[in-house]
Amino acid sequence: MAILPESHIAGIFPEAQIFSIPFLFPGSLEKAAEVMNGDGGRKLFSYLDKKDLIGLAIYPQAYKQFTSNKAIHTPDDFKGQKIRTMASPLVVESYKLLGASPTPISYHEVYTALQMGTVDGEENPFWAIGEMKFYEVQKYIVESNHAPFVSLFIANKQWYEKLPEKYRNIIREVAQEVVPSQVKLELEHDNKWKEKFAKEKRVNLTKLTPESREAFRHKLSPLSDVYVKLVGPHGAEILNAYSNDSPK
């Protein structure tokens, strides 16, 4: 069994990239966790089964925020910027839509890349921006809450199916039972860093207005079609299952 970030599993299971579609999961992280593990999650995991893996739960670990050396208020503010991304086709495409130059760089090389000006900005939850000290080499942190940082709890199908049924049931039940506690702890950790940034003199903490969020949502709306193109026709089924459950 393993708990892996969406980006780590996307290579063999591109369907997991659905969590990188910005603004698909609006609202609180608690509500997003409910939606992720609802009908959409069951539909998503039904295709993971074809990879000889079993999906047990989906754990959001806070929303991602933008950081940059330039103030970000509208989608146009990304034009011409070099933005560090994960090696995710959908994330790369999202920054192309914004007019930026997406630059995949290893997570542990991001600080140096920002410091040297190899890239102008990046995206991560508050806790990652803090723990990796990205705020030391960035002028702005923009509270955008545009996409959740998500991990998937998975298991080897052959191993799992050899377990007695009562143990399989216990694993499934507990995997889901801990979701609220996991989200609570993640939010507490993330909010502590947000509070630190509000007092940090080296960086400006700003927040997208509702109008700006809507402008970003509109600009990035083609990503739903990109997702379906990446994973195939069944991508529309997964997308629809999540879209129907997501709070508006």
Side-chain angles (χ1 to χ4, degrees), residues 121-139:
E122 56 86 48
E123 62 171 24
N124 262 301
F126 287 122
W127 60 261
I129 297 167
E131 291 178 356
M132 298 300 288
K133 301 186 185 300
F134 297 151
Y135 66 94
E136 294 181 349
V137 286
Q138 294 278 263
K139 293 181 180 178

Side-chain angles (χ1 to χ4, degrees), residues 26-47:
S28 68
L29 196 69
E30 294 94 338
K31 184 60 180 178
E34 290 181 21
V35 172
M36 288 176 190
N37 288 284
D39 290 341
R42 287 185 284 274
K43 176 64 71 173
L44 177 70
F45 281 156
S46 71
Y47 292 100

Side-chain angles (χ1 to χ4, degrees), residues 181-192:
S181 297
Q182 174 265 331
V183 170
K184 181 176 182 292
L185 290 172
E186 294 286 357
L187 280 174
E188 288 176 354
H189 184 46
D190 201 54
N191 284 330
K192 284 181 181 178

Side-chain angles (χ1 to χ4, degrees), residues 21-22 25 48 68 85 102 115 125 131 150 165 170 193 205 223:
I21 298 177
F25 299 95
L48 180 61
S68 176
T85 68
Q115 186 180 45
E131 291 178 356
V150 169
E165 182 179 4
I170 289 172
W193 277 107
L205 177 62
L223 287 175

Side-chain angles (χ1 to χ4, degrees), residues 98-116:
L98 294 173
S101 297
T103 308
I105 294 175
S106 171
Y107 183 57
H108 294 285
E109 297 175 5
V110 176
Y111 184 96
T112 301
L114 292 168
Q115 186 180 45
M116 300 298 293

